[in-house]
């Protein structure tokens, strides 16, 4: 099982303050130890305030690589693009000087674009300094969705990225074709920050932690991985 540290906060402001401070420390330490720091980022409302806070800090951004945890296969100007979200929150102000590595490329499908994306991610320093994950009410994390086409490969391969075609649902929406970090890539991180908000998602997390079929709740693969160091951040 992964090494799991749970951090429960009274409100989202407290979570943001702790997350922001921790991310800053990890990036500074990564640059000091290795010359560069690598931050893997997810979309979503939970990390957004921390991203905005970081963007205002006078860090050595020229030596920080920011890369996506997962991405819908849409153009960067699409309203559902995670890249657009990161560019509007983290890659602003001082943060605009970071080196950004996108997942989306010009290939027609994520399956066709996987080789180019893999090459870009293999060029990054490893282990990554921090990987930020979210979790859906269906137990998915990154774009490792339950019973998705490509899920089995994404959990078993040594590659860093893989193509996913999820089953359309209220969670996925109509855009089911994605690119995502694999389980191996998530495990190749100094620390994983799993961000959860609300009682409903807390119940899902606890259910995943109790065990069961990984295909039903892919988060279980992360929680059960023997070499992952996870910090769980929760706020109501």
């Amino acid at each position: 099982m992964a090494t799991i540290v749970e951090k429960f906060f009274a409100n989202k402001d407290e979570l943001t303050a702790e997350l922001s401070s921790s991310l800053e420390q990890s990036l500074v330490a990564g640059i000091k130890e290795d010359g560069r720091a690598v931050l893997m980022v997810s979309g979503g409302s939970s990390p957004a305030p921390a991203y905005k806070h970081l963007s205002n800090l006078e860090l050595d951004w020229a030596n920080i690589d920011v890369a996506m945890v997962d991405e819908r296969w849409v153009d960067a100007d699409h309203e559902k693009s995670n890249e657009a979200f990161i560019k509007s929150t983290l890659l602003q102000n001082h943060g605009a000087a970071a080196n950004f590595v996108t997942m989306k490329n010009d290939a027609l499908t994520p399956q066709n674009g996987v080789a180019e994306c893999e090459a870009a991610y293999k060029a990054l320093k490893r282990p990554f300094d921090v990987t930020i994950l979210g979790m859906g009410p269906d137990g998915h994390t990154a774009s490792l969705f339950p019973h998705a086409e490509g899920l089995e490969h994404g959990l078993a391969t040594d590659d860093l990225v893989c193509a996913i075609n999820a089953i359309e649902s209220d969670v996925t929406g109509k855009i089911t074709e994605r690119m995502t970090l694999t389980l191996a890539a998530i495990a190749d991180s100094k620390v994983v920050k799993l961000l959860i908000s609300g009682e409903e998602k807390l119940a899902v997390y606890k259910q995943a932690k109790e065990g069961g079929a990984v295909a039903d709740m892919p988060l279980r693969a992360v929680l059960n991985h023997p070499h992952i160091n996870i910090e769980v951040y929760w706020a109501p």
Side-chain angles (χ1 to χ4, degrees):
M1 190 167 182
T3 301
I4 302 174
V5 176
E6 295 175 340
K7 301 184 177 184
F8 285 32
F9 300 91
N11 54 61
K12 291 180 181 178
D13 287 344
E14 290 185 9
L15 183 153
T16 294
E18 171 65 23
L19 178 62
S20 300
S21 175
S22 178
L23 292 177
E24 179 184 1
Q25 291 172 25
S26 290
L27 294 175
V28 169
I31 294 170
K32 184 177 180 180
E33 293 166 11
D34 308 316
R36 293 196 73 79
V38 179
L39 175 62
M40 290 287 169
V41 291
S42 293
S45 59
S46 292
Y51 292 159
K52 291 176 181 177
H53 173 83
L54 280 180
S55 78
N56 286 298
L57 298 181
E58 294 185 10
L59 302 175
D60 184 8
W61 286 102
N63 286 311
I64 295 174
D65 298 305
V66 174
M68 301 302 309
V69 163
D70 66 324
E71 182 60 280
R72 299 174 180 88
W73 209 248
V74 295
D75 291 335
D77 59 357
H78 192 283
E79 64 177 359
K80 294 293 187 180
S81 165
N82 283 336
E83 176 177 336
F85 169 79
I86 295 301
K87 286 182 174 177
S88 69
T89 53
L90 178 61
L91 302 178
Q92 296 284 321
N93 309 308
H94 295 300
N99 175 49
F100 179 66
V101 180
T102 181
M103 278 188 153
K104 175 67 170 66
N105 53 50
D106 292 335
L108 187 62
T109 67
Q111 288 81 4
N112 291 338
V114 117
E116 181 179 336
C117 187
E118 179 74 13
Y121 274 59
K122 278 189 173 174
L124 293 168
K125 180 199 82 172
R126 285 180 282 156
F128 309 132
D129 291 283
V130 186
T131 295
I132 299 175
L133 296 180
M135 183 204 71
D138 58 353
H140 85 266
T141 192
S143 276
L144 300 169
F145 283 90
H147 305 285
E149 180 184 339
L151 174 63
E152 190 173 340
H153 174 69
L155 297 178
T157 183
D158 290 331
D159 291 342
L160 298 176
V161 302
C162 73
I164 289 284
N165 192 5
I167 298 167
E168 186 175 337
S169 68
D170 291 341
V171 178
T172 65
K174 294 187 179 299
I175 304 170
T176 59
E177 289 197 318
R178 316 278 186 110
M179 190 79 78
T180 185
L181 290 185
T182 63
L183 178 61
I186 293 170
D188 205 354
S189 307
K190 293 177 183 177
V191 65
V192 171
K193 309 276 191 181
L194 176 62
L195 309 184
I196 304 171
S197 61
E199 296 293 341
E200 179 187 357
K201 285 193 175 181
L202 181 60
V204 173
Y205 163 71
K206 289 180 177 178
Q207 183 182 353
K209 194 177 173 184
E210 288 171 0
V214 169
D216 291 340
M217 300 181 78
L219 178 63
R220 288 173 173 149
V222 177
L223 298 177
N224 292 330
H225 195 287
H227 304 303
I228 295 182
N229 175 26
I230 305 174
E231 294 179 359
V232 179
Y233 286 65
W234 177 85

